[in-house]
Amino acid sequence: MKISIQNLQLKYGSFTAIENLNLDIEDGEALVLLGQSGCGKTSTMRCIAGLEEPTSGRIIIDDIVVFDSEKGINLPPNKRNVGMVFQSYAVWPHMTVAQNVAYSLKRKKLATKEIDERVTEALTLVGLDQFAERGASLLSGGQMQRVALARSLVMRPSVLMLDEPLSNLDARLRDRLRVELREIQLKLGLTCVYVTHDQHEAFALADRIALLQGGRIVQMGAPRHMYEAPASASIAHFLGVSNIMECTEITAADGQTAARIAASDLTIHATQPPAQAALSPKVCIRAEDLQVTAAPTGSVNSWPGTVRVAGFQGNDVRYAVELEAGPELDVLGGLKRGEQHNVGDRVWVTVNAREVQILPAEVFA
Ligand SMILES: Nc1ncnc2c1ncn2[C@@H]1O[C@H](COP(=O)(O)OP(=O)(O)OP(=O)(O)O)[C@@H](O)[C@H]1O
Ligand SMILES: [Mg+2]
């Protein structure tokens, strides 16, 4: 089922939680709303589900206008066929797993045989068919989360919306359920809106990510695109780019762009044309794109410095290197490269000019 959101605005009193949001979600698409706390993810979802009345705009689900402020249309949640799974899954502890999942179907007064079939189907889908008769309070966190999911799936919603459904779980379980969720979504061809503030979760689950900041979509695209080409330094920061430096001057020479870093003697070269970096530009470099060596590499971007911190992380070592030209850089050194450096060592930090991004500070100035 397609969802179309047009010029959506939501105000709580004088505070604007969602501002002029436009979003088209394709049939069978997994769209992830990603953004930091308070950016408007849950509000957007509640508007789609009909749990919140937007101030203005239009929402269309499967060619049916479910909300239109101008025409005074506002369908109640139960007329929208939208399934929701929340962060705090309210699994009823005094019921069995099967009773939990059957609850809403019973309220709809479906025939017992159909209820049984659908409950079994939903529990099989989430891998809990063996647990149907177990008391819900005797489940692990991950299993309870799956009961909550089965309870939504059993209603056969045309759209499934999940609001941080994995955030109560430990990291390993989260990783696994993330993959299982994606499998179920693809298998059922479900149109899915998924809310998270976790970029890894977003990358793993999304066909497309809508990145929200302050109630507005600031970037939209496939996970890979978002990772490789963040639209602003603040998006890069949110996505985990750790080296972000203000520039004072940007010049073009020999097909390269040279950026002078504020409050330092450092100049960083990029292959990107200078025109792309309009307002208060910042240089952004991922820790994994930097390399630490004992000797200079001959690259235009190779600077001497001293290792301040070397944190062993298993696969790699995280270095903080204070450059002689001023700034301290966060570097992820792969151990496979064979070199390891210790605190106090004099080293060179190198980055390929292609990996240097010069970005505006914000999408909306
Ligand atoms: N009922 C309300 N009255 C007033 N302000 C509200 C209300 N609900 C939410 N807000 C505000 O609207 C903004 C967006 O809230 P929302 O719950 O959509 O954020 P979120 O992106 O889901 O954040 P989180 O990741 O913390 O869940 C926040 O600044 C919040 O304080
Ligand atoms: Mg929220």
Side-chain angles (χ1 to χ4, degrees):
M1 305 286 155
K2 280 195 291 197
I3 304 175
S4 178
I5 302 170
Q6 299 164 1
N7 303 318
L8 190 74
Q9 192 190 44
L10 173 68
K11 287 189 172 188
Y12 295 113
S14 62
F15 175 74
T16 306
I18 305 172
E19 199 168 333
N20 192 31
L21 190 130
N22 288 283
L23 183 58
D24 283 297
I25 304 167
E26 297 299 320
D27 185 28
E29 182 177 37
L31 183 107
V32 173
L33 294 174
L34 173 67
Q36 66 190 33
S37 182
C39 71
K41 306 178 296 290
T42 299
S43 301
T44 304
M45 223 172 101
R46 288 174 59 84
C47 287
I48 300 172
L51 299 169
E52 200 78 63
E53 187 175 344
T55 313
S56 61
R58 223 150 82 102
I59 300 172
I60 304 165
I61 300 176
D62 191 30
D63 295 330
I64 296 168
V65 179
V66 297
F67 179 80
D68 189 327
S69 55
E70 278 173 14
K71 293 191 178 142
I73 299 171
N74 189 13
L75 294 191
N78 60 358
K79 297 267 161 61
R80 298 191 183 193
N81 199 17
V82 167
M84 304 261 291
V85 179
F86 296 99
Q87 172 179 356
S88 48
Y89 40 84
V91 168
W92 293 295
H94 59 286
M95 293 185 192
T96 66
V97 168
Q99 283 165 344
N100 261 283
V101 178
Y103 183 81
S104 299
L105 296 180
K106 283 207 172 119
R107 283 193 53 180
K108 281 180 93 178
K109 304 214 165 24
L110 265 60
T112 311
K113 183 163 173 288
E114 185 179 359
I115 294 179
D116 289 347
E117 279 170 13
R118 281 171 64 167
V119 167
T120 306
E121 180 190 86
L123 286 178
T124 307
L125 212 47
V126 300
L128 284 182
D129 41 327
Q130 301 300 316
F131 292 84
E133 298 313 319
R134 185 180 287 193
S137 60
L138 306 174
L139 298 174
S140 72
Q143 290 163 339
M144 283 194 205
Q145 190 66 70
R146 281 187 254 183
V147 173
L149 182 62
R151 231 168 29 186
S152 289
L153 292 173
V154 83
M155 301 305 287
R156 298 191 178 147
S158 42
V159 176
L160 185 62
M161 302 213 280
L162 304 115
D163 191 354
E164 312 248 7
L166 306 182
S167 49
N168 278 336
L169 308 174
D170 70 57
R172 196 173 304 181
L173 196 55
R174 214 162 45 217
D175 284 351
R176 210 178 68 218
L177 277 188
R178 193 187 283 164
V179 175
E180 288 178 12
L181 263 180
R182 179 64 165 160
E183 271 173 11
I184 291 172
Q185 184 259 330
L186 289 172
K187 190 164 160 190
L188 300 180
L190 266 177
T191 306
C192 182
V193 181
Y194 192 100
V195 164
T196 182
H197 62 270
D198 179 339
Q199 49 155 325
H200 299 293
E201 208 154 290
F203 288 156
L205 281 162
D207 290 310
R208 237 169 8 133
I209 295 173
L211 203 129
L212 287 176
Q213 281 181 342
R216 299 202 262 196
I217 296 180
V218 287
Q219 190 170 3
M220 183 92 192
R224 178 104 194 234
H225 168 75
M226 192 99 28
Y227 180 84
E228 286 173 356
S232 73
S234 98
I235 295 174
H237 175 71
F238 177 71
L239 295 178
V241 177
S242 51
N243 298 295
I244 298 182
M245 292 164 274
E246 253 172 72
C247 334
T248 49
E249 196 191 345
I250 294 179
T251 49
D254 308 329
Q256 282 215 334
T257 303
R260 275 206 71 80
I261 303 305
S264 79
D265 298 324
L266 189 64
T267 299
I268 297 182
H269 299 268
T271 52
Q272 161 201 328
Q276 284 175 16
L279 276 171
S280 32
K282 295 193 177 186
V283 166
C284 303
I285 308 172
R286 293 190 168 274
E288 56 266 39
D289 291 333
L290 289 162
Q291 194 190 342
V292 191
T293 49
T297 57
S299 153
V300 283
N301 291 326
S302 187
W303 316 290
T306 306
V307 176
R308 290 278 167 229
V309 183
F312 177 65
Q313 303 191 145
N315 279 337
D316 34 45
V317 181
R318 189 138 222 152
Y319 297 105
V321 179
E322 189 180 314
L323 300 186
E324 283 163 20
E328 184 167 285
L329 295 178
D330 174 39
V331 186
L332 206 55
L335 280 175
K336 294 206 184 86
R337 284 185 185 137
E339 279 194 81
Q340 206 183 331
H341 311 278
N342 300 310
V343 174
D345 286 358
R346 186 160 195 260
V347 292
W348 268 259
V349 177
T350 301
V351 64
N352 192 313
R354 275 198 310 273
E355 317 284 4
V356 176
Q357 290 176 316
I358 305 174
L359 302 173
E362 303 284 347
V363 171
F364 295 105

